[in-house]
Amino acid sequence: MGKEKTYDTAVKQERAILVGVVRPGEKPEETKEYLDELAFLVDTAGGLVEHTFTQKMLKPDRGTFVGTGKLDEIKAYVKSEEIDMVVFDDELSPSQLRNIERELEVKILDRSNLILDIFAGRAQTAQAKTQVELAQLQYLLPRLTRLWTHLERQKGGIGMRGPGETQIESDRRMILEKISLLKGRLKLIDKQNETQRKNRAALIRVALVGYTNVGKSTIMNMISKSEVFAENKLFATLDTTVRKVVIENLPFLLSDTVGFIRKLPHHLVECFKSTLDEVREADILIHVVDVSHTSFEDQINVVNETLKDLGARDKDTIMVFNKIDAYISPEAEELNEGEKATLTLDEFKKSWMAQHNAPALFISALHKENLEEFKQLLYDKIVALHVERYPYDKLLY
Ligand SMILES: Nc1nc2c(ncn2[C@@H]2O[C@H](COP(=O)(O)OP(=O)(O)OP(=O)(O)O)[C@@H](O)[C@H]2O)c(=O)[nH]1
Ligand SMILES: [Mg+2]
């Protein structure tokens, strides 16, 4: 923990505003939740959120996403407050991006390239770096015209066709070549990793999965006594780490991997599929939930959906509700003085969370609360699986 800082806070922070469209039927707390998460992403990327704009719409405008009236309002704010970038909560189409950029004349990001940017800043291994670069190029490809318009504007804005088209074509070809190069490199890395996995002993494999920032790496560090980078930022972990762990006399493999998030860019999921092989091939999943987060139920659904995409939804899964120390009950505001807003371990065990999610455990990885029960359940599960798989192996237990 506490490795080197990824972002240098000494440089001037970029001033950002957020823009979200409120869909019909969306509850105010949902809108707040989406934009809070976007703000956390901007913060993680090193930016400073100055203001948030929302616009109620049946569906986003095809040309300008928020409609021209709202765009004028945003433009006035951008100019008067010297804003450096405008961040949209949804993926913008290439033409929306072009129109908005032309109007606002500052950097425009959408959720996808914000996430890509964070990933790019965090990638450590050759595999992660290649995966992120590939995703970035795939994101860029349909948006190439935008870059060219940009150059045209600097030159005076005439002659949008002629040389522009030729330039786009050659850029395009270059990017396509780079994409196929990166794909080739990834294939090679995948093959090496596959061989590595095959060479491992026939141990039971357990994978930590969950939404980003729920405490997966903290749990990994705690039970494997390793030093995986954990911090209160999104996507602290990008690469998969595998450790051999021994509980009592029982060895098994535990992996920690990239966290999931709602609206994860499609390209990114594709490019990170191989990083998630460890999840796909795991015998047991530990689905970690941050119970102190107001929308942890939504987060559980997002994780389950992502697991489904990966073909890993039907695996043997233990639900671990983490951060019980920071849990505040939704009725906390109505409590009288002296009454506790959190739950005791017994109350957690009797709650709907336990009843709906068997087997479920309630822990605090940070305060090392209830870890014995966690280890015991894991131990029992692994032993059961081991007996089933190697009925004649008497070396263990
Ligand atoms: N209060 C509290 N905080 C915790 C607990 N467990 C982890 N945290 C904090 O939550 C933050 C995120 O923890 P990580 O272990 O990095 O989470 P992660 O799931 O690996 O996150 P990503 O790799 O970014 O997806 C850190 O600041 C931890 O110190 C806990 O039990 N209680
Ligand atoms: Mg992590």
Side-chain angles (χ1 to χ4, degrees):
M1 263 188 254
K3 244 171 50 184
E4 78 278 0
K5 260 207 147 64
T6 321
Y7 298 99
D8 185 1
T9 42
V11 276
K12 187 182 158 284
Q13 276 189 301
E14 286 185 73
R15 294 155 62 84
I17 56 170
L18 311 182
V19 183
V21 158
V22 183
R23 309 295 197 295
E26 195 173 295
K27 297 190 202 103
E29 59 271 25
E30 282 175 328
T31 311
K32 182 177 178 308
E33 170 52 36
Y34 297 159
L35 291 168
D36 280 354
E37 187 170 87
L38 191 67
F40 200 179
L41 284 167
V42 171
D43 177 62
T44 297
L48 194 68
V49 177
E50 293 290 348
H51 195 69
T52 300
F53 286 90
T54 52
Q55 174 76 327
K56 280 203 175 108
M57 295 183 104
L58 280 175
K59 59 176 198 274
D61 183 82
R62 280 185 56 185
T64 58
F65 196 72
V66 288
T68 44
K70 197 66 174 186
L71 206 58
D72 284 345
E73 195 187 317
I74 295 172
K75 187 176 180 175
Y77 190 92
V78 165
K79 290 275 167 305
S80 73
E81 302 299 316
E82 297 180 4
I83 296 300
D84 301 302
M85 63 178 178
V86 180
V87 186
F88 288 77
D89 193 36
D90 296 83
E91 189 155 323
L92 299 170
S93 72
S95 70
Q96 284 169 334
L97 193 57
R98 197 166 49 233
N99 295 338
I100 297 170
E101 195 182 49
R102 194 182 300 138
E103 197 54 37
L104 300 183
E105 297 179 302
V106 285
K107 186 156 59 172
I108 311 296
L109 294 181
D110 59 19
R111 197 183 167 89
S112 293
N113 65 7
L114 182 59
I115 293 177
L116 284 172
D117 190 69
I118 295 171
F119 272 48
R122 297 200 169 240
Q124 298 275 336
T125 60
Q127 186 184 25
K129 283 185 183 151
T130 316
Q131 285 166 332
V132 177
E133 201 180 343
L134 182 58
Q136 280 181 315
L137 289 178
Q138 285 172 336
Y139 176 88
L140 189 65
L141 201 56
R143 292 168 176 83
L144 263 186
T145 45
R146 175 176 74 108
L147 296 184
W148 185 247
T149 343
H150 213 84
L151 292 180
E152 279 299 322
R153 195 164 57 225
Q154 282 168 1
K155 287 199 312 193
I158 340 170
M160 293 294 284
R161 298 200 132 246
E165 292 297 326
T166 340
Q167 182 65 38
I168 292 167
E169 265 318 301
S170 68
D171 283 358
R172 221 181 144 67
R173 226 171 300 127
M174 234 164 62
I175 291 183
L176 284 171
E177 273 165 27
K178 189 78 202 268
I179 286 180
S180 85
L181 187 98
L182 292 176
K183 280 187 174 162
R185 198 180 293 163
L186 268 186
K187 234 187 216 146
L188 203 72
I189 299 176
D190 283 353
K191 221 178 237 149
Q192 287 163 352
N193 288 349
E194 207 181 306
T195 321
Q196 226 175 36
R197 285 201 298 271
K198 279 203 188 115
N199 287 343
R200 278 191 210 142
L203 295 174
I204 300 292
R205 287 157 66 178
V206 183
L208 289 158
V209 294
Y211 210 76
T212 179
N213 209 41
V214 294
K216 299 178 294 298
S217 299
T218 311
I219 294 177
M220 173 82 167
N221 288 338
M222 196 189 62
I223 42 180
S224 72
K225 299 187 182 70
S226 60
E227 281 283 311
V228 180
F229 186 45
E231 67 164 351
N232 192 19
K233 287 275 164 81
L234 302 179
F235 305 114
T237 308
L238 272 200
D239 292 297
T240 303
T241 312
V242 185
R243 293 268 181 281
K244 186 169 161 190
V245 180
V246 182
I247 297 184
E248 292 180 37
N249 55 351
L250 179 71
F252 64 96
L253 293 175
L254 181 67
S255 69
D256 174 29
T257 192
V258 59
F260 303 154
I261 196 166
R262 108 169 38 92
K263 298 188 203 163
L264 199 60
H266 171 72
H267 289 319
L268 205 56
V269 180
E270 273 303 309
C271 297
F272 268 77
K273 278 232 158 108
S274 52
T275 295
L276 293 164
D277 279 346
E278 210 49 58
V279 172
R280 230 193 320 257
E281 295 170 13
D283 302 298
I284 298 169
L285 298 182
I286 301 175
H287 180 163
V288 185
V289 178
D290 173 358
V291 78
S292 75
H293 197 287
T294 45
S295 50
F296 73 86
E297 294 172 70
D298 287 342
Q299 297 189 344
I300 293 177
N301 292 333
V302 171
V303 171
N304 284 340
E305 281 303 309
T306 315
L307 287 174
K308 204 154 101 193
D309 282 352
L310 291 171
R313 179 72 181 95
D314 298 327
K315 285 189 190 292
D316 215 352
T317 305
I318 305 174
M319 296 292 288
V320 173
F321 292 87
N322 186 32
K323 307 198 189 180
I324 56 170
D325 59 286
Y327 178 79
I328 296 172
S329 111
E331 291 92 41
E333 280 169 19
E334 294 153 28
L335 292 179
N336 298 317
E337 246 188 67
E339 282 184 299
K340 273 201 344 197
T342 182
L343 299 181
T344 62
L345 198 53
D346 266 347
E347 286 166 333
F348 268 119
K349 286 181 182 172
K350 287 186 193 127
S351 69
W352 63 267
M353 297 173 239
Q355 280 147 23
H356 285 255
N357 299 287
L361 277 166
F362 300 88
I363 65 164
S364 164
L366 201 63
H367 294 276
K368 306 204 167 19
E369 259 180 89
N370 206 25
L371 295 184
E372 283 318 307
E373 193 182 340
F374 175 45
K375 286 187 185 167
Q376 186 62 49
L377 182 73
L378 200 53
Y379 179 88
D380 292 345
K381 272 223 171 265
I382 296 170
V383 168
L385 205 60
H386 200 97
V387 173
E388 188 186 309
R389 199 168 292 176
Y390 313 105
Y392 304 109
D393 183 358
K394 297 207 172 55
L395 284 175
L396 301 156
Y397 44 88

